[in-house]
Amino acid sequence: MRYAQGGGLTAERREFRERLRRRAVERFARGETNPVIARDLRVSVRSVQRWRRSWERDGERALDSKGPASRPRLSPAQFRQLEAELARGPAAHGWSGRRWTLERIQTVIARRFQVTYTVQGVRKLMRRHGWTYVAPTGKGEGRGAGGWVRTESGRAGRARPPRTE
């Protein structure tokens, strides 16, 4: 996933990457070669080459973390407003049916806040705030609507093993 789609590094991961760059700087000063540094730090040779060029041009400070790639596009207050809009239901926004889809949520965000998200960006935004997708249930008139809903645990439906990265 790319940063523009809602990804990016956590603060811990940024610190880890900065520590790697610092270790590389120590080895640059000792005159070690890029492939040896890359192998030992388990990074690509291209990354080490890029770090070395920055270090030679601008010194050690050039390898400092620049912070998060971007600020969230919706503030916490705006997300609370979005939740209030979603609580009104799809019909209040002109759609038939009772189901919130990612495309519908994307449209509400664009209309209400003049902010654009990709469909995957909306999915990640909703998951980050404890929303989950519930598949429609049953058949005929007794059918549950399904769609995106707010849950206490952030999960609904069958339990899945946690993802490891």
Side-chain angles (χ1 to χ4, degrees):
M1 165 193 314
R2 305 307 295 164
Y3 296 141
Q5 296 172 328
L9 299 175
T10 63
E12 295 81 22
R13 194 71 184 154
R14 278 192 308 276
E15 289 173 21
F16 171 77
R17 300 279 307 223
E18 188 169 347
R19 283 193 305 270
L20 277 180
R21 292 189 299 268
R22 295 275 172 240
R23 289 171 51 195
V25 164
E26 293 169 2
R27 298 178 77 169
F28 296 157
R30 291 194 300 243
E32 294 184 33
T33 64
N34 291 345
V36 170
I37 296 170
R39 186 189 65 234
D40 291 348
L41 297 181
R42 298 176 58 181
V43 298
S44 70
V45 174
R46 296 221 34 176
S47 290
V48 175
Q49 290 169 344
R50 193 174 58 250
W51 298 343
R52 186 183 294 268
R53 277 193 309 272
S54 294
W55 173 70
E56 289 171 344
R57 184 180 60 242
D58 300 320
E60 192 173 331
R61 304 304 293 175
L63 299 177
D64 288 347
S65 174
K66 307 296 188 273
S70 66
R71 293 190 320 257
R73 289 186 243 169
L74 288 185
S75 69
Q78 288 174 317
F79 191 83
R80 286 191 298 276
Q81 292 172 5
L82 174 62
E83 287 185 311
E85 294 293 326
L86 297 178
R88 293 175 48 207
H93 295 276
W95 289 291
S96 60
R98 302 173 295 173
R99 185 184 323 177
W100 278 114
T101 64
L102 292 173
E103 291 82 4
R104 290 177 176 184
I105 297 170
Q106 178 186 33
T107 301
V108 170
I109 292 171
R111 287 178 184 167
R112 179 80 167 86
F113 305 105
Q114 291 76 45
V115 174
T116 58
Y117 274 89
T118 63
V119 172
Q120 284 303 311
V122 173
R123 178 189 169 280
K124 294 193 179 302
L125 174 74
M126 300 307 287
R127 297 286 292 179
R128 195 172 330 148
H129 286 90
W131 286 67
T132 190
Y133 182 79
V134 176
T137 58
K139 292 187 178 194
E141 290 183 29
R143 182 180 175 123
W148 284 87
V149 297
R150 176 92 166 125
T151 61
E152 291 300 315
S153 66
R155 283 216 176 286
R158 70 183 172 97
R160 294 183 185 152
R163 285 178 35 182
T164 57
E165 297 190 40

